[in-house]
Amino acid sequence: MRAGAILRAALALLLVALVVWPQAFAPVFAPFAPEGGPVIYDRVSLLSLSLNHLLLVAAASALATVVAVTLAIAVTRPAGAAFRPLSRTITNVGQTFPPVAVLALAVPVLGFGAGPTLVALFLYGLLPIFENAMTALSTLPPRTMEAARGMGMGRVQRLWQVELPLAAPVILAGIRLSVVIALGTATIGSTVAARTLGEVIIAGLLTNNTAFVLQGGLIVGLFAVLIYDALTLLEARIARRAGARGA
């Protein structure tokens, strides 16, 4: 446990250093830069790109969570059960449609910038959250639900006070997967002028500068590892509370 905490702290410090003091890593990336070419990406502040990247991911993930969980609640009620196959088809569209294709279709409508990227990340993040939420809400402990009815709880009360708290760990697992996917996918947003860390990677590909590619990829990778780990810890804590509630 202590070793894990130390590793997390070390990775977090490395990430902060890469974003705030990138020039300190010039000797590390220098062997991968073209001769006479720049080693560290400095056209735009890496801190600014990182914040924009995270903001896009957070906005898309929050929107996907609200829509997916709402849809899962609807189709796990008796009145909405008939729409379950249709809802699965709708949420599958985002995963089967390549994000690049979504960007290409969204640009003529929304223009260049963050808009098309937000749409692509939203569609791509729906499926894991919806599937987990639907599974969790469909497999709640019958005894607990019966006890809630016996206490005189109405449908809305049961949903907010019993069903969602018990389903929260499984729903959060879907959100965790969705967020990690979005962190990596957001890099392609720079192809349509969105300000993301993909800008560093694309600049490296265009100039044959592997140092830029490694720099951008390492920052995105560290964000993904740390956020995944943080959500895993949160999920475990909520699962313990849900277990106590279910007991």
Side-chain angles (χ1 to χ4, degrees):
M1 191 74 173
R2 189 174 179 180
I6 293 172
L7 179 59
R8 284 185 214 107
L11 291 177
L13 287 173
L14 175 60
L15 176 59
V16 170
L18 278 166
V19 170
V20 179
W21 303 289
Q23 294 296 336
F25 295 87
V28 177
F29 293 113
F32 303 99
E35 188 174 350
V39 176
I40 300 298
Y41 187 82
D42 58 2
R43 297 175 194 171
V44 182
S45 163
L46 289 177
L47 178 59
S48 173
L49 288 178
S50 297
L51 292 176
N52 284 334
H53 191 107
L54 293 176
L55 183 60
L56 264 177
V57 170
S61 298
L63 186 58
T65 298
V66 171
V67 172
V69 173
T70 302
L71 190 58
I73 291 171
V75 300
T76 51
R77 308 301 100 176
F83 297 97
R84 189 174 296 190
L86 177 61
S87 63
R88 270 201 164 119
T89 301
I90 292 172
T91 54
N92 265 304
V93 168
Q95 287 284 337
T96 55
F97 227 71
V100 175
V102 176
L103 291 176
L105 292 172
V107 164
V109 179
L110 301 174
F112 288 91
T117 307
L118 188 62
V119 171
L121 295 180
F122 164 72
L123 291 175
Y124 219 54
L126 280 175
L127 183 61
I129 302 174
F130 172 74
E131 287 291 344
N132 277 41
M134 189 174 64
T135 299
L137 291 169
S138 300
T139 57
L140 295 170
R143 290 184 180 179
T144 303
M145 298 306 300
E146 191 61 38
R149 292 189 192 94
M151 292 171 63
M153 286 187 177
R155 293 180 181 178
V156 176
Q157 276 185 306
R158 288 199 305 270
L159 174 64
W160 286 103
Q161 296 181 26
V162 181
E163 295 181 49
L164 287 177
L166 289 176
V170 180
I171 294 174
L172 188 57
I175 295 172
R176 171 164 46 90
L177 178 59
S178 179
V179 168
V180 171
I181 291 173
L183 280 166
T185 307
T187 56
I188 67 170
S190 292
T191 61
V192 292
R195 304 308 298 270
T196 75
L197 289 164
E199 186 173 322
V200 183
I201 298 171
I202 291 171
L205 294 174
L206 292 176
T207 59
N208 198 28
N209 190 334
T210 307
F212 285 179
V213 177
L214 290 174
Q215 189 179 4
L218 182 57
I219 293 172
V220 173
L222 286 171
F223 271 126
V225 168
L226 290 169
I227 291 174
Y228 183 93
D229 186 62
L231 290 175
T232 299
L233 293 174
L234 178 61
E235 181 187 333
R237 179 174 295 181
I238 292 175
R240 286 194 296 270
R241 291 182 181 177
R245 184 187 291 263

